[in-house]
Amino acid sequence: MSGCEIVEHYLSPGEHRDFCIDRLKRLRDGQAKAAVVARVIRIVQGNFGDHKFCG
């Protein structure tokens, strides 16, 4: 890990909306929002948790 990992945000065609950010903004439960953000940070750091690779 280089310490400067990047999360790419994909925008919808036409409107150029970031659905992940929009959904996170609409989430009213603060604990749930914090859990989602923490999970994304762990994924960026390479910790995918309990998973199996396909292929």
Side-chain angles (χ1 to χ4, degrees), residues 20-34:
C20 293
I21 296 297
D22 289 347
R23 176 70 177 122
L24 201 57
K25 286 180 181 177
R26 286 193 315 263
L27 198 56
R28 292 185 283 174
D29 184 352
Q31 279 187 310
K33 191 181 288 190

Side-chain angles (χ1 to χ4, degrees), residues 1-8 37-48:
M1 296 283 155
S2 65
C4 59
E5 292 80 9
I6 297 173
V7 175
E8 294 185 19
V37 171
R39 183 68 186 124
V40 171
I41 290 170
R42 286 195 304 269
I43 290 170
V44 168
Q45 294 172 341
N47 180 3
F48 294 95

Side-chain angles (χ1 to χ4, degrees), residues 9-22 25:
H9 293 261
Y10 293 94
L11 306 178
S12 67
E15 296 179 25
H16 302 291
R17 293 181 53 198
D18 186 335
F19 291 112
C20 293
I21 296 297
D22 289 347
K25 286 180 181 177

Side-chain angles (χ1 to χ4, degrees), residues 48-55:
F48 294 95
D50 188 16
H51 70 286
K52 294 181 183 177
F53 286 106
C54 298

